[in-house]
Amino acid sequence: MQLYQFERIYINMEKEFGKLRKGEEEVYSMLLLPLEGNALKIHREFPASNSRRLREAIALVLFDIKEKCTGEAADTERFRNEDNEKLEKALLMAFDPYTNKEIMELFKRQNKKDEFTQDMLKNYYKLPVMCLLRIKDSIDTWEKQSGANGYFDFIESYMGSEIKGTEMNFSIMSFGMGKGKI
């Protein structure tokens, strides 16, 4: 996979799942805050996991989601490094049932199934994808304005005092998963 193909994931997933618009963040704060808080915790502990690495981590998460929804695996190893992998896991811990065992247990309990259809997964991942794409746009904006750590500088000033500890937070979503909802 070439860099161009790696970066196309943002556009491809936006076409498939949609995107939050600037100004709509408040409505989706239940998921945006755990995503941003988890990323900030990693950045504080590992400063090399900066805004650029977060943008890469978002792409890696989007490839993870695409694989879960379609079965299409992409070779992203060339783009992985220890700094973006830490952020990738922190993002996934906020919503992904395959990364966070607590979410998987709730997911199974509410859906009363151990296996999930591709449609169920696509519905489940819609909001996280939209939130991740919004964060990516915010990273782009803040890096242009304030440099390589612009996004984390913004998040620190915006909500940094509210983010404490190192435990990864997660959000349980409540939307279209068939009969059961998570």
Side-chain angles (χ1 to χ4, degrees), residues 4-145:
Y4 171 79
Q5 295 164 307
F6 181 74
E7 291 183 342
R8 291 281 306 167
I9 191 68
Y10 307 118
I11 293 166
N12 294 340
M13 294 298 266
E14 179 182 343
K15 286 178 184 175
E16 188 169 342
F17 290 89
K19 184 173 164 180
L20 302 180
R21 292 190 180 29
K22 189 174 176 133
E24 295 179 337
E25 298 88 356
E26 187 82 23
V27 175
Y28 301 97
S29 63
M30 187 176 112
L31 182 55
L32 281 168
L33 294 176
L35 287 166
E36 292 171 323
N38 287 359
L40 182 58
K41 289 174 186 177
I42 294 299
H43 174 69
R44 284 176 176 167
E45 189 172 348
F46 305 99
S49 293
N50 59 21
S51 295
R52 174 174 283 157
R53 300 291 85 89
L54 181 57
R55 183 186 307 107
E56 295 164 354
I58 289 170
L60 293 169
V61 169
L62 294 174
F63 277 107
D64 294 338
I65 291 170
K66 183 177 180 181
E67 182 176 354
K68 289 169 186 155
C69 289
T70 66
E72 288 179 47
D75 183 9
T76 57
E77 288 309 307
R78 174 177 169 222
F79 300 98
R80 289 181 186 278
N81 60 55
E82 82 179 60
D83 297 318
N84 63 27
E85 281 184 323
K86 289 173 184 151
L87 290 162
E88 175 186 16
K89 181 164 186 194
L91 293 171
L92 287 167
M93 286 297 289
F95 68 89
D96 185 49
Y98 295 96
T99 305
N100 188 319
K101 290 178 179 119
E102 291 177 67
I103 295 174
M104 180 57 86
E105 288 176 26
L106 288 169
F107 193 78
K108 286 180 178 181
R109 206 172 329 142
Q110 291 194 354
N111 287 284
K112 297 177 178 57
K113 295 182 181 187
D114 285 332
E115 295 294 320
F116 309 106
T117 67
Q118 286 182 322
D119 284 342
M120 289 174 75
L121 290 172
K122 188 173 179 182
N123 286 337
Y124 178 80
Y125 285 118
K126 182 176 178 59
L127 183 58
V129 168
M130 292 170 65
C131 288
L132 288 165
L133 291 171
R134 180 65 195 104
I135 292 170
K136 187 261 184 203
D137 286 349
S138 186
I139 293 167
D140 293 345
T141 297
W142 286 103
E143 277 189 342
K144 285 177 189 168
Q145 291 181 5

